[in-house]
Amino acid sequence: MAQISKDTKIGELLNIFPDSAPILMEIGMHCLGCPASQMETIEEAAMVHGIDSALLVEKLNAAMAAQQ
């Protein structure tokens, strides 16, 4: 199973775990289709949106593990 980290790029995250999109949208990250966001890391995106990147990574990994 792939492990998501704060350095995972949004584009990579969406490729390895497509079901992360609703999680990101739910916390206010509505720019997932923007080409610039595809190269942004989870940490960078979280900082822009005022979100704790460690908690976001934890939530994403837990959601991905629950699906497998």
Side-chain angles (χ1 to χ4, degrees):
M1 168 174 74
Q3 186 74 4
I4 298 166
S5 77
K6 64 183 174 93
D7 297 317
T8 303
K9 296 199 180 332
I10 298 296
E12 179 184 2
L13 171 64
L14 293 171
N15 283 333
I16 61 173
F17 182 42
D19 289 339
S20 65
I23 296 169
L24 298 175
M25 297 285 283
E26 169 184 297
I27 59 172
M29 292 185 181
H30 300 280
C31 54
L32 300 179
C34 172
S37 74
Q38 300 299 299
M39 297 305 295
E40 199 170 44
T41 65
I42 291 174
E43 182 176 43
E44 292 166 337
M47 186 178 7
V48 168
H49 291 88
I51 298 164
D52 183 321
S53 63
L55 291 175
L56 177 55
V57 166
E58 186 178 318
K59 181 175 185 171
L60 291 167
N61 277 312
M64 189 167 64
Q67 280 196 343
Q68 295 181 352

